[in-house]
Amino acid sequence: MKLKTLILAAGKGTRMKSELPKVLHKVNGIPMVKKIMNILESLKSEENILILGHKKELVTETLGDVKYVVQEEQLGTGHAIMMAEDVLKDYDGDVMVVCGDTPLLREETLDKLWEKHRESGAATTVLTSIYEDPFGYGRIVKENGLVKAIVEQKDATPEQAAIKEVNAGVYCFDSKKLFDALGKIDNKNKNGEYYLTDVIGIHVREGEKVESYILEDNVEILGVNSKVELATAARVLRERKNLKLMEEGVILIDPANTYVEESVVVGQDTTLYPGVHLQGETVIGSNCEILGDTRIVDSKIGDDVIIERSVVEESIIDAKVTMGPYAHIRPQSHLKEGVHIGNFVETKKSTLEPGVKAGHLAYLGNAHIGKKTNIGAGTITCNYDGKNKFNTTIGEEAFIGSDTMLVAPVEIGDHALIGAGSVITKDVPARALAVARGKQIIKKEWKKK
């Protein structure tokens, strides 16, 4: 059987109270519509087609090269699907319709929905769920186990309102029968809109079979229409992510206070302490300790690394590095094996070779530092003259005394020694001693004068 999917993503989302299209709001670090696209990958459909409208250019910019059609006016869900008729007119297979604001759907749920649709031979199969308090949802009216109607809350009789099986807003259709029925629906309702659910009524009247697949976990069908629901969805996804990490061998001391985004990868026996934030495309190796209030973004961390209360951004941290507390590793830094970065040390666009030690209170920007070099407290690479950035190069096993200013561009040779408190403006040869201080003057009895 063949399958194509349609993703409803045209709405503005007025209740979100935001200039950003609703489907671009992030849940656990990923835009809702991108989360849906990732979920659909498991179906291996021939094509995923987005139905866009409000600020469509922002959606395509976020998703990259995607196929889409445009719904210029939002005139209902049925009208949205009509916009895809031209691109599907020669297609003979199944169509799955999902909403771009339902990021809690699981891959296995959509797999089972399509499987039920294929095996039943139905014209339409509706994803449904059971709610003890179904207020606000469309009720699923059945006869002999088959769907006979979907009745909205405002149109339901008292008997229908008591039905607990509700419409989840996800459907599988026979493509040809879908568009045939769409040609027969109208907008003669209070909202003047074309409803996709009217297709079910047409199929039933024409003797077509309409099935349902009942979802056990009704949290999956949460539609995000407000910032409150956005926070709820994000919490659920964090809980799922943390559970998956623990099942894969990661140690979470306090899962409720550990924030790991969707795309993060963490190795076995790594321990994540409360307050840790792991974001973006971060990959963390095995046997690491990531301690409280650490934030790591789009970075690669090797095995056996210890990071405490620090920030790492868009950088590479090799095995056995120790860091923190309160270090800041800014973008394009590379800390190689066994490097130690202590409290209040900042790096930016710098490479520290194996065994480098910078224990405290240093800034290392646009620098290359050779292996086993020691950086004293208060050292600064003065890399910016107000217009251009310049590089500092320090050789192997050099010793940079405390409170040294290295005014770039400058090169310090292997095994060189820089005296504490120096301002270095010229290259220092290998194995040389450099001291550059102002002359110390003592005026006796100065205070009396």
Side-chain angles (χ1 to χ4, degrees):
M1 292 290 291
K2 297 186 294 184
L3 178 70
K4 293 190 178 187
T5 64
L6 296 175
I7 304 99
L8 301 175
K12 179 179 180 180
T14 304
R15 282 185 283 163
M16 293 296 286
K17 299 188 183 301
S18 173
E19 292 301 311
L20 193 68
K22 178 170 69 169
V23 296
L24 291 186
H25 283 273
K26 290 183 177 181
V27 282
N28 202 29
I30 186 170
M32 286 192 286
V33 69
K34 191 169 185 179
K35 174 65 176 173
I36 288 292
M37 298 292 279
N38 291 346
I39 292 167
L40 292 174
E41 285 182 8
S42 68
L43 294 177
K44 297 182 173 57
S45 64
E46 292 183 12
E47 208 168 30
N48 297 320
I49 303 167
L50 288 149
I51 300 169
L52 303 180
H54 179 65
K55 293 189 176 180
K56 61 183 181 297
E57 65 282 353
L58 293 182
V59 180
T60 56
E61 182 181 321
T62 299
L63 296 178
D65 185 19
V66 292
K67 185 161 187 177
Y68 67 94
V69 297
V70 179
Q71 184 188 19
E72 295 290 356
E73 292 184 272
Q74 280 73 66
L75 301 177
T77 50
H79 178 257
I81 302 303
M82 291 175 189
M83 300 302 99
E85 185 169 9
D86 282 348
V87 298
L88 293 175
K89 61 184 178 182
D90 297 324
Y91 171 67
D92 188 8
D94 292 330
V95 172
M96 183 179 289
V97 175
V98 299
C99 296
D101 63 356
T102 52
L104 299 183
L105 286 168
R106 295 179 186 268
E107 292 88 342
E108 53 266 34
T109 297
L110 299 184
D111 281 333
K112 290 176 180 177
L113 172 65
W114 188 35
E115 181 182 4
K116 175 73 176 286
H117 181 72
R118 297 195 310 268
E119 291 179 351
S120 68
T124 300
T125 304
V126 185
L127 182 66
T128 69
S129 193
I130 306 297
Y131 270 85
E132 289 302 315
D133 180 10
F135 184 84
Y137 286 93
R139 306 304 202 278
I140 303 296
V141 179
K142 287 184 171 179
E143 185 179 305
N144 298 322
L146 295 177
V147 177
K148 290 300 176 184
I150 299 177
V151 181
E152 298 303 321
Q153 174 77 39
K154 61 181 180 296
D155 300 321
T157 65
E159 183 181 41
Q160 291 168 336
I163 296 172
K164 295 181 179 180
E165 186 176 356
V166 302
N167 179 23
V170 181
Y171 312 88
C172 272
F173 296 100
D174 175 286
S175 178
K176 296 295 185 184
K177 293 177 181 179
L178 166 64
F179 287 104
D180 179 67
L182 282 172
K184 301 172 184 177
I185 68 174
D186 59 44
N187 64 343
K188 294 177 182 178
N189 51 62
K190 292 180 181 179
N191 294 326
E193 295 184 348
Y194 297 89
Y195 295 131
L196 184 58
T197 50
D198 288 349
V199 168
I200 281 81
I202 290 171
H203 282 163
V204 170
R205 289 197 298 273
E206 294 180 350
E208 297 285 358
K209 185 179 182 182
V210 179
E211 279 279 5
S212 67
Y213 174 72
I214 301 176
L215 176 64
E216 293 183 6
D217 183 7
N218 57 31
V219 74
E220 288 191 43
I221 69 173
L222 173 69
V224 175
N225 295 298
S226 69
K227 298 285 177 56
V228 173
E229 291 170 339
L230 186 73
T232 299
R235 176 182 55 78
V236 172
L237 288 178
R238 283 198 305 272
E239 290 172 352
R240 288 182 188 175
K241 179 68 175 184
N242 288 350
L243 179 61
K244 182 181 178 183
L245 288 175
M246 290 185 286
E247 289 173 344
E248 292 172 347
V250 180
I251 301 165
L252 274 65
I253 302 299
D254 182 2
N257 290 294
T258 305
Y259 299 84
V260 184
E261 291 185 351
E262 289 291 295
S263 52
V264 172
V265 176
V266 185
Q268 284 187 359
D269 292 320
T270 282
T271 303
L272 305 180
Y273 284 76
V276 166
H277 289 69
L278 306 180
Q279 298 176 272
E281 302 300 321
T282 292
V283 176
I284 296 179
S286 301
N287 300 303
C288 297
E289 284 189 79
I290 314 296
L291 290 96
D293 299 326
T294 290
R295 176 172 171 258
I296 303 175
V297 185
D298 293 327
S299 296
K300 184 176 181 181
I301 313 298
D303 298 338
D304 303 297
V305 170
I306 299 174
I307 302 176
E308 181 175 4
R309 294 182 184 273
S310 296
V311 176
V312 182
E313 303 170 282
E314 300 172 29
S315 293
I316 300 172
I317 311 297
D318 287 350
K320 299 181 180 178
V321 167
T322 56
M323 183 192 306
Y326 308 115
H328 188 180
I329 309 304
R330 290 169 59 193
Q332 299 182 57
S333 295
H334 187 178
L335 277 53
K336 296 191 178 180
E337 184 170 346
V339 165
H340 171 66
I341 294 291
N343 52 292
F344 301 104
V345 174
E346 180 176 347
T347 70
K348 192 273 297 182
K349 204 174 183 180
S350 293
T351 298
L352 280 59
E353 296 291 344
V356 169
K357 289 180 171 56
H360 27 233
L361 302 164
Y363 172 69
L364 305 171
N366 295 86
H368 184 278
I369 302 174
K371 65 182 182 181
K372 296 185 178 179
T373 282
N374 188 85
I375 305 294
T379 294
I380 295 174
T381 58
C382 307
N383 59 328
Y384 184 50
D385 67 357
K387 183 178 180 181
N388 299 304
K389 295 288 181 72
F390 297 97
N391 296 326
T392 297
T393 302
I394 304 174
E396 298 180 0
E397 298 188 50
F399 186 95
I400 311 299
S402 296
D403 203 27
T404 293
M405 306 289 134
L406 299 168
V407 183
V410 69
E411 183 171 345
I412 311 300
D414 296 344
H415 303 278
L417 173 62
I418 308 298
S422 294
V423 179
I424 302 298
T425 60
K426 297 177 182 179
D427 292 350
V428 178
R431 301 184 182 278
L433 167 64
V435 181
R437 305 173 183 151
K439 182 179 179 181
Q440 181 172 317
I441 299 173
I442 297 176
K443 300 283 189 178
K444 292 184 179 181
E445 304 299 327
W446 180 260
K447 189 171 182 181
K448 292 182 180 180
K449 294 180 181 179

